[in-house]
Amino acid sequence: MKKLFFCFLLLFCSFLLIGCGEEMTPRQAVRDYMESYVTLDDSIVDQLNDYVDDNEELLDEHKKTYKEILRTQYSSLTYTILNERVEGNIAYVDVEINVKDLHKIRKETNEYYANNKDEFNNDNGIYDVAKFITFQLDKMKAATETVKYKLELKVVKSDDDWDVAQLSNSDLEKIHGIYNYEEE
């Protein structure tokens, strides 16, 4: 009888340890999602490549440089999960991120261009957009100053899993560090 009880107890404990794993929370789903940026998960890199490759204004060399800048941006991103609010199968998780301030670089390089237009002309005295983009990307690559943003990520429960919903354009701009915070 003791052996039967012991076997039952062992089976029950095994069930608890293996079969009843801890259910994912919205906070954990957001943590995993943010970590996919920091670790440059393949799905994030694929999205990054699509985002940059869709920009028809950039030359191939500019696309390559911009991808490097964004990969660095993602891998250096830090975040803090502030809180979560669950409303049935939908949750909202507030996250504070810290990224390189590429918006400031874009603003400064545009101001520099406005005051020094001749520097970006070709040998025939005609504006060379590629020259300016190279200048701007070089400044972005050297960026060290950071900015903090708050995101409210929507997390949806389906089939007992919590998944982060598609981010808004402004949230993506914040992760990229190009969000225009001066318009708020």
Side-chain angles (χ1 to χ4, degrees), residues 69 100 102 105 135-145:
I69 291 166
K100 291 182 183 178
L102 301 182
I105 300 295
F135 169 75
Q136 193 172 55
L137 290 173
D138 286 346
K139 294 292 183 185
M140 291 171 106
K141 202 174 357 177
T144 57
E145 196 170 326

Side-chain angles (χ1 to χ4, degrees), residues 22-168:
E22 188 176 314
E23 186 176 309
M24 172 82 70
T25 66
R27 180 182 293 262
Q28 291 167 321
V30 167
R31 183 200 63 225
D32 291 349
Y33 183 77
M34 297 307 296
E35 281 299 314
S36 68
Y37 275 93
V38 175
T39 61
L40 298 173
D41 183 81
D42 289 342
S43 65
I44 296 298
V45 172
D46 289 344
Q47 290 174 16
L48 160 80
N49 291 335
D50 291 343
Y51 170 75
V52 175
D53 289 339
D54 286 347
N55 189 333
E56 296 174 6
E57 296 176 11
L58 296 178
L59 300 173
D60 286 343
E61 66 188 65
H62 293 141
K63 288 178 181 183
K64 181 181 176 197
T65 302
Y66 195 41
K67 288 175 186 179
E68 289 173 22
I69 291 166
L70 289 179
R71 277 194 294 274
T72 300
Q73 180 76 301
Y74 293 169
S75 63
S76 64
L77 175 148
T78 59
Y79 64 93
T80 303
I81 298 175
L82 304 172
N83 58 51
E84 70 180 357
R85 186 174 77 253
V86 180
E87 300 169 0
N89 288 339
I90 296 177
Y92 298 91
V93 179
D94 296 324
V95 180
E96 181 178 77
I97 63 170
N98 191 25
V99 294
K100 291 182 183 178
D101 192 352
L102 301 182
H103 165 71
K104 182 176 181 184
I105 300 295
R106 288 170 69 174
K107 180 182 175 192
E108 289 173 351
T109 56
N110 286 333
E111 289 172 359
Y112 184 85
Y113 165 74
N115 296 318
N116 302 281
K117 290 181 179 181
D118 292 343
E119 285 186 34
F120 303 100
N121 290 342
N122 63 21
D123 294 337
N124 297 328
I126 299 171
Y127 173 65
D128 184 351
V129 68
K131 209 177 219 185
F132 174 71
I133 292 173
T134 299
F135 169 75
Q136 193 172 55
L137 290 173
D138 286 346
K139 294 292 183 185
M140 291 171 106
K141 202 174 357 177
T144 57
E145 196 170 326
T146 62
V147 62
K148 289 184 181 190
Y149 295 114
K150 287 196 177 158
L151 311 175
E152 182 184 69
L153 302 182
K154 182 178 179 180
V155 187
V156 180
K157 187 175 188 178
S158 63
D159 298 329
D160 293 329
D161 285 330
W162 288 97
D163 295 308
V164 176
Q166 176 65 43
L167 271 59
S168 67

